Amino acid sequence: MAGGTTLQKAIDLATKATTEDKAKNYEEALKYYEHAIEFFIHSIKYEAQGEKAKECIRQKCQQYLDRAEKLKAYLKKGKKKPVADGEEGSKDDKKSGDSGDSDTDSDPEKKKLQSRLEGAIVIEKPNIKWTDVAGLDLAKEALKEAVILPIKFPHLFTGKRIPWKGILLFGPPGTGKSYLAKAVATEANNSNFLSVSSSDLVSKWLGESEKLVKNLFELARQRKPSIIFIDEIDSLCSSRSDNESESARRIKTEFLVQMQGVSNDNDGILVLGATNIPWVLDAAIRRRFEKRIYIGLPEEHARGTMFKIHLGNTAHNLTEEDFRKLAAETEGYSGADISIIVRDALMQPVRLVQTATHFKRVTGPSPKDPSVIVDDLLTPCSPGDPEAIEMSWTQVESDKLYDPPVTMKHMLKSLATTRPTVNEDDMSKLDKFKEDFGQEG
Ligand SMILES: Nc1ncnc2c1ncn2[C@@H]1O[C@H](COP(=O)(O)OP(=O)(O)OP(=O)(O)O)[C@@H](O)[C@H]1O
Ligand SMILES: [Mg+2]
């Protein structure tokens, strides 16, 4: 096993835990166990190389986890004597340990899980409007249909007309899937938006992951109408296979049951998933996302809008014609690529200030108070300019700098140095999935 530092730390902690455990300092022991488990999981995720090493750590981890659970139960009940380490349970303990699974007698436990989940869930409202998302009209329509209309006009959705329960957004990276979900969170302000990343559900506690999934749905039911958004859902629900770990399988099964279980009432709950590798999803999970919307690379018109959105209210002198030209030249670029081009272009005036050897005086709004126009501002210029004064930015006072506007030249320069991130290979796989299972967004 590679003796990485995290793993070493985990082992040290586990040793301390067993020492305390033997000395009957159960509270201390529990703390060390919990700590050790976190380090073990971290080392499985980021350090351990090879399945064998991982499995080995996982098994050890499960042992400590079991022991920690027992200690926890014991400390909670304040019972006289817990089962000693190694001797597998008195009758009494066994009984209570087993029935813990059914969740009926463990309400405080459930509360604790839910409160932990609440920590993982993003509840705050991002401030992204529908209009901040360029293009993707069909996707927006579908989301409105599933999210906004049923709440605003409940009578529309009675009888056989039921709103969508599961929507999957798929498409190449950087095309606005997560961004669109944020817009849903902002715009659906009558529903609770529970956003969890797959890692929140998987990483923390090996044995408790499927309970977390269950609790996530229960939390959503308590607070309905609600939207559960799971980003990068592929890492949670890839195809079931023979060599996957037991806990991954259990998470998936729980997910299937919760999304469409016999005894589960999912009225008023929408599950929104996003992925850029939809083909790894398990077929049964795929089916539960009734609507699968393809979020593709932006069209020319959308690209033009994106340039405008990302420039925002920064000073620039680009014309409509310039925006059209930029849009035409960015075929194959994703939304994220375009935002990078714009960010790079926005930095260029700053670089200009840094490297300028000459400045000249101009009139303009004062950086301190834009409503006041002053005439002693300084802006970079070429040495040949008749009004040029030889100086560097260090000699310019902080409230005297007139920041040069972003120009088309800046944009084109950034465009020339930024390549699109999405490649043909990914696109053809996505196209195939779209043809087989999806719909255009
Ligand atoms: N349609 C769009 N309109 C405006 N901005 C966009 C759009 N698409 C992408 N962007 C910009 O690109 C950034 C990245 O997008 P986002 O995080 O949503 O990508 P994603 O589709 O979730 O990618 P991944 O599959 O890699 O998670 C956003 O923060 C946003 O600034
Ligand atoms: Mg994303």
Side-chain angles (χ1 to χ4, degrees), residues 172-179 229 231-232 274-276:
T175 44
K177 298 179 291 298
S178 311
Y179 201 58
F229 173 56
D231 209 352
E232 319 292 348
T275 174
N276 48 31

Side-chain angles (χ1 to χ4, degrees), residues 20-78:
E20 294 292 342
D21 200 350
K22 287 216 176 86
K24 300 203 167 49
N25 297 328
Y26 298 120
E27 223 157 300
E28 285 296 301
L30 178 60
K31 243 187 272 163
Y32 282 124
Y33 277 127
E34 288 184 338
H35 232 79
I37 291 164
E38 277 184 29
F39 276 94
F40 274 124
I41 291 176
H42 189 277
S43 79
I44 294 175
K45 270 180 78 178
Y46 301 109
E47 250 178 34
Q49 259 137 37
E51 268 314 303
K52 232 176 171 176
K54 280 186 192 167
E55 194 46 47
C56 190
I57 303 176
R58 224 174 258 140
Q59 268 172 17
K60 223 43 214 155
C61 198
Q62 189 63 46
Q63 267 177 27
Y64 293 131
L65 198 61
D66 289 346
R67 181 63 191 160
E69 287 296 320
K70 270 195 191 132
L71 287 182
K72 222 191 290 178
Y74 158 73
L75 286 169
K76 208 166 60 190
K77 279 188 200 142

Side-chain angles (χ1 to χ4, degrees), residues 218-280:
E218 245 156 58
L219 200 65
R221 275 180 214 118
Q222 277 167 21
R223 303 181 171 191
K224 69 185 180 185
S226 43
I227 302 163
I228 299 177
F229 173 56
I230 304 176
D231 209 352
E232 319 292 348
I233 192 164
D234 45 274
S235 60
L236 194 67
C237 299
S238 50
S239 300
R240 283 165 288 181
S241 61
D242 289 340
N243 57 7
E244 71 184 354
S245 76
E246 183 56 32
S247 69
R249 193 193 302 270
R250 281 205 303 260
I251 291 175
K252 256 168 253 173
T253 317
E254 188 62 46
F255 202 82
L256 288 172
V257 172
Q258 290 298 331
M259 266 192 90
Q260 209 172 55
V262 191
S263 57
N264 295 317
D265 166 27
N266 278 4
D267 268 356
I269 298 177
L270 168 74
V271 182
L272 194 59
T275 174
N276 48 31
I277 36 175
W279 50 89
V280 306

Side-chain angles (χ1 to χ4, degrees), residues 128 132-136 171-182 231-232 274-276 295 298 302 306 309-310 334-339:
I128 296 172
D132 293 334
V133 183
L136 307 179
T175 44
K177 298 179 291 298
S178 311
Y179 201 58
L180 197 57
K182 282 189 195 157
D231 209 352
E232 319 292 348
T275 174
N276 48 31
I295 308 289
M306 274 179 206
I309 291 176
H310 291 308
S334 70
D337 295 334
I338 291 178
S339 84

Side-chain angles (χ1 to χ4, degrees), residues 205-356:
W205 294 86
L206 285 176
E208 287 180 356
S209 291
E210 75 270 17
K211 278 196 216 158
L212 277 175
V213 173
K214 189 169 177 172
N215 276 284
L216 172 66
F217 277 83
E218 245 156 58
L219 200 65
R221 275 180 214 118
Q222 277 167 21
R223 303 181 171 191
K224 69 185 180 185
S226 43
I227 302 163
I228 299 177
F229 173 56
I230 304 176
D231 209 352
E232 319 292 348
I233 192 164
D234 45 274
S235 60
L236 194 67
C237 299
S238 50
S239 300
R240 283 165 288 181
S241 61
D242 289 340
N243 57 7
E244 71 184 354
S245 76
E246 183 56 32
S247 69
R249 193 193 302 270
R250 281 205 303 260
I251 291 175
K252 256 168 253 173
T253 317
E254 188 62 46
F255 202 82
L256 288 172
V257 172
Q258 290 298 331
M259 266 192 90
Q260 209 172 55
V262 191
S263 57
N264 295 317
D265 166 27
N266 278 4
D267 268 356
I269 298 177
L270 168 74
V271 182
L272 194 59
T275 174
N276 48 31
I277 36 175
W279 50 89
V280 306
L281 286 188
D282 190 83
I285 298 272
R286 191 172 64 222
R287 183 175 77 75
R288 277 159 179 77
F289 286 101
E290 306 154 311
K291 237 177 149 54
R292 296 173 285 269
I293 304 176
Y294 180 61
I295 308 289
L297 291 172
E299 312 258 302
E300 186 167 331
H301 182 72
R303 293 199 295 271
T305 318
M306 274 179 206
F307 275 104
K308 281 184 205 160
I309 291 176
H310 291 308
L311 267 175
N313 51 11
T314 316
H316 69 82
N317 56 15
L318 273 77
T319 60
E320 281 300 317
E321 181 54 38
D322 290 337
F323 282 117
R324 264 197 296 278
K325 191 160 171 239
L326 285 170
E329 286 188 15
T330 40
E331 173 83 59
Y333 284 72
S334 70
D337 295 334
I338 291 178
S339 84
I340 287 171
I341 296 177
V342 176
R343 258 175 53 203
D344 188 65
L346 289 178
M347 285 312 281
Q348 290 190 41
V350 181
R351 278 178 220 140
L352 192 64
V353 170
Q354 261 182 325
T355 54

